[in-house]
Amino acid sequence: RESRRPCKSTLPAKAGSRSTFRERKNRKKGLNSVCRFLGARDIRIPIFPRLLSGIDKITKEGRPDASQSTMNLRLIPRSLFFVSIFSLLAIGYFSFGTYRNWPYKIESDGKYYYQFLVSAWLEHDLDFSNNYRAVQLPWMHTPIDHYSLRDKISPKTGRPANVFSYGPAILWIPFFSMATGVAHFLNAIHPGWLDDNPWSRFYQYSVMFSALVYTWIGLLLLNSIWEAWFRRTPPLSALLLTLFATPLCYYAIFEVSMSHSYDFFTFCLILWLLVRNRERPTWLSFCTFATACALHVLVRTQNIATVVIFSMVVIPYWRLTTRKHFGSYVLFLGVLAIGVSPVLFINKYLFGDFFV
């Protein structure tokens, strides 16, 4: 323990260019620095050379050698991989319920995201006075308005509050419309076949299936981002870790009414647009990028910080590759302002002020 020798973590010697030698040398220095920081001055760790040689193979070939991999994922066709992931998530989605395995899908904050869609679609307004008093179905464990927002009445408008964002409701519109069409069609054939109550199990499982779909699309976008940025396909293990080594899988199967899966999708969409248009941005690039940023903010209001960071970094970078300097800024800010402006009008409608 008193020895001052650095740990030996050199790479297997092999011929290469000068740049490759410098990369190995810099990697060795960085690894020795970590060893010294951890106090492992006299410890020889034999796994490091094998690990670093595997990293070299990933860097050059895009995937590790099959002879050194315990799970040979590279032999799996990429299309089959994504179909398998979708099928696995779908099986889990229909096998389990929501929080604590309750037999429905909309719970907690998701009820108030869903209120925007129900009220706007069925009643063509955003007055939640009667929506909060909807009858609790017998198999639901908590009331529709379990936060008692029906008692928080604005003195200026006389309407109850809803302090949650409506971005998830926008992403639910295609699934809600398809569920409504299926319900009307089947009930026309056999009256009463499906319950047309928007809080029924049919509607909840149909609409909240969107969390699984948007999560799956987010993984596809990550795969495309990796290919566009690194010019090679990503290791399938990286996508598996993204899904199963994070809470993403939980929010794609259990608490699907929360905003996390949709936040993941919109963030991946922003990254995809950034990488896809990084070389030759056009006017359409700025419009689509601003629209994705606006949707990201509508899903979760605190995402405005993410949009500000991306705007400070991306827009100057894009400006270097296009002559449309001032016009690009104006277009981006204009589309972004239009995209998030409904928040102000909803605040005015519910609370009587644009900023609350």
Side-chain angles (χ1 to χ4, degrees):
R1 295 181 180 177
E2 297 178 356
S3 173
R4 297 297 178 181
R5 294 180 301 169
C7 65
K8 302 297 184 180
S9 58
T10 60
L11 287 169
K14 66 175 183 179
S17 62
R18 181 175 299 178
S19 60
T20 305
F21 172 77
R22 289 178 179 174
E23 291 175 0
R24 294 200 303 267
K25 185 176 180 182
N26 292 336
R27 191 182 295 113
K28 174 185 174 183
K29 289 181 179 180
L31 187 58
N32 285 335
S33 300
V34 174
C35 294
R36 286 194 296 271
F37 177 77
L38 297 176
R41 296 187 179 91
D42 60 338
I43 299 177
R44 296 172 180 262
I45 306 179
I47 196 174
F48 279 161
R50 293 181 59 190
L51 177 63
L52 294 178
S53 64
I55 293 176
D56 279 345
K57 288 185 175 61
I58 293 176
T59 303
K60 294 181 179 180
E61 303 174 9
R63 51 187 178 239
D65 190 5
S67 61
Q68 298 183 4
S69 176
T70 58
M71 185 172 57
N72 197 0
L73 293 177
R74 72 187 184 92
L75 298 180
I76 303 176
R78 196 156 294 264
S79 58
L80 177 60
F81 171 78
F82 282 106
V83 171
S84 301
I85 288 296
F86 186 87
S87 302
L88 184 62
L89 291 176
I91 292 173
Y93 177 85
F94 290 106
S95 300
F96 303 100
T98 183
Y99 174 67
R100 295 181 180 178
N101 202 23
W102 291 342
Y104 54 97
K105 288 296 184 180
I106 302 178
E107 186 51 62
S108 189
D109 298 356
K111 292 181 177 179
Y112 296 91
Y113 301 138
Y114 194 57
Q115 291 285 12
F116 280 102
L117 180 58
V118 172
S119 183
W121 186 281
L122 300 180
E123 302 175 3
H124 310 292
D125 62 30
L126 294 178
D127 188 349
F128 307 106
S129 301
N130 57 333
N131 302 98
Y132 288 157
R133 290 175 170 79
V135 178
Q136 176 185 350
L137 298 176
W139 37 264
M140 297 183 71
H141 289 253
T142 58
I144 299 296
D145 181 26
H146 61 285
Y147 290 154
S148 300
L149 292 185
R150 61 180 176 273
D151 300 328
K152 296 177 173 58
I153 306 299
S154 171
K156 293 184 178 181
T157 63
R159 300 186 179 95
N162 191 338
V163 297
F164 294 87
S165 59
Y166 64 90
I170 296 177
L171 296 175
W172 290 335
I173 289 177
F175 298 85
F176 189 88
S177 60
M178 286 189 291
T180 302
V182 171
H184 290 171
F185 175 75
L186 294 180
N187 287 334
I189 298 175
H190 188 283
W193 196 349
L194 291 177
D195 188 358
D196 57 358
N197 186 339
W199 295 97
S200 64
R201 283 196 184 100
F202 168 74
Y203 268 91
Q204 291 199 31
Y205 273 83
S206 300
V207 177
M208 295 303 116
F209 191 74
S210 58
L212 187 154
V213 174
Y214 286 122
T215 299
W216 186 70
I217 295 176
L219 293 176
L220 291 175
L221 293 177
L222 282 182
N223 182 79
S224 178
I225 292 167
W226 189 300
E227 290 180 346
W229 189 261
F230 297 103
R231 306 299 182 184
R232 60 179 179 271
T233 57
L236 299 182
S237 58
L239 298 175
L240 286 176
L241 289 174
T242 302
L243 179 61
F244 294 107
T246 67
L248 183 60
C249 179
Y250 172 80
Y251 286 107
I253 294 177
F254 293 94
E255 293 202 58
V256 290
S257 64
M258 303 294 281
S259 61
H260 299 71
S261 297
Y262 316 101
D263 191 21
F264 169 74
F265 163 73
T266 54
F267 184 74
C268 291
L269 180 61
I270 290 175
L271 290 179
W272 182 77
L273 292 172
L274 166 63
V275 175
R276 184 172 180 266
N277 301 310
R278 72 184 187 277
E279 295 179 354
R280 292 185 178 181
T282 61
W283 293 109
L284 182 60
S285 303
F286 285 92
C287 290
T288 55
F289 184 74
T291 303
C293 290
L295 184 60
H296 192 52
V297 174
L298 295 181
V299 170
R300 303 186 80 175
T301 308
Q302 57 266 38
N303 287 338
I304 188 66
T306 306
V307 171
V308 170
I309 294 173
F310 271 104
S311 303
M312 294 174 60
V313 175
V314 175
I315 300 301
Y317 172 76
W318 279 359
R319 188 187 63 179
L320 298 176
T321 59
T322 179
R323 295 182 179 180
K324 308 176 183 64
H325 294 186
F326 180 75
S328 301
Y329 278 100
V330 173
L331 179 64
F332 173 80
L333 294 177
V335 175
L336 180 62
I338 294 174
V340 300
S341 60
V343 175
L344 304 179
F345 294 102
I346 291 177
N347 289 340
K348 180 67 175 180
Y349 180 82
L350 292 178
F351 306 102
D353 294 308
F354 290 107
F355 299 96
V356 293

